[in-house]
Amino acid sequence: MAKLTGSHHGDAANDLVGFYQAKANELEELGQYYMAAVALAFALETAILAYLLNEFGEDNGGELKIPATVNMSELIGAANEIDVLSAPIDIPSFVGGDNDVDPPKHVAKDVVDKIRQFRNRIHPARALADSFDPRAFAAAQLTEIREMYESVLHSLMYHL
């Protein structure tokens, strides 16, 4: 089974986060709110993976070897195990740049699983079981997903 490592996959993981974020913005501009939210959910999963791949090196315990079959639940579990989803939210966000003084809306560990549950609705059986209709997904729901996503990114950046 293939293993992912920071030295071999870290840069590609960071690049993939950027791709998903850009795609989410593009889809939002086109009014494709559901697909934009799906792209953000993929960006979130990739951001956690990228954090784990890039943060662990020789100076802090050695490079991680993550199975290529890792799922989002396992990534969230690993992030919670090392407590990187609990950054304070009474400070300016680490995501918006120097001009953004607004604090994140959520504590990451409180919302990360909500994004995972949303992302799981890409599976038709899960969508049907949850009576989820992606056609009814609106801009306000995308805003909520984006705020949760940015809260998780804030926490990851805080712990770098």
Side-chain angles (χ1 to χ4, degrees):
M1 175 187 332
K3 299 281 184 177
L4 304 175
T5 63
S7 58
H8 288 100
H9 304 98
D11 289 340
N14 287 333
D15 186 53
L16 195 54
V17 172
F19 166 78
Y20 286 132
Q21 288 177 336
K23 189 55 69 175
N25 292 338
E26 178 184 321
L27 289 162
E28 181 178 13
E29 288 176 17
L30 294 171
Q32 298 293 318
Y33 304 121
Y34 171 69
M35 294 309 294
V38 169
L40 282 179
F42 287 146
L44 173 80
E45 183 172 3
T46 311
I48 295 172
L49 178 60
Y51 178 91
L52 294 171
L53 289 172
N54 289 304
E55 187 58 17
F56 290 90
E58 296 301 322
D59 58 338
N60 59 354
E63 187 172 66
L64 294 181
K65 293 180 176 134
I66 301 173
T69 58
V70 69
N71 65 42
M72 191 171 182
S73 224
E74 293 166 326
L75 290 171
I76 291 169
N80 278 323
E81 192 172 306
I82 59 173
D83 202 30
V84 296
L85 298 178
S86 60
I89 61 169
D90 59 348
I91 59 174
S93 174
F94 277 58
V95 176
D98 294 336
N99 296 334
D100 188 2
V101 295
D102 293 331
K105 303 271 189 221
H106 308 279
V107 174
K109 69 180 179 178
D110 293 342
V111 296
V112 68
D113 204 52
K114 291 178 184 177
I115 297 174
R116 182 192 63 78
Q117 290 169 353
F118 165 79
R119 196 284 318 261
N120 285 348
R121 291 187 180 129
I122 64 167
H123 302 290
R126 173 57 48 207
L128 292 170
D130 291 347
S131 298
F132 177 72
D133 181 1
R135 292 170 294 226
F137 196 86
Q141 291 166 291
L142 174 59
T143 298
E144 183 180 354
I145 293 284
R146 187 177 297 281
E147 288 171 351
M148 289 188 282
Y149 170 75
E150 289 175 355
S151 294
V152 174
L153 285 188
H154 161 78
S155 195
L156 294 173
M157 298 289 288
Y158 177 86
H159 287 287
L160 283 178

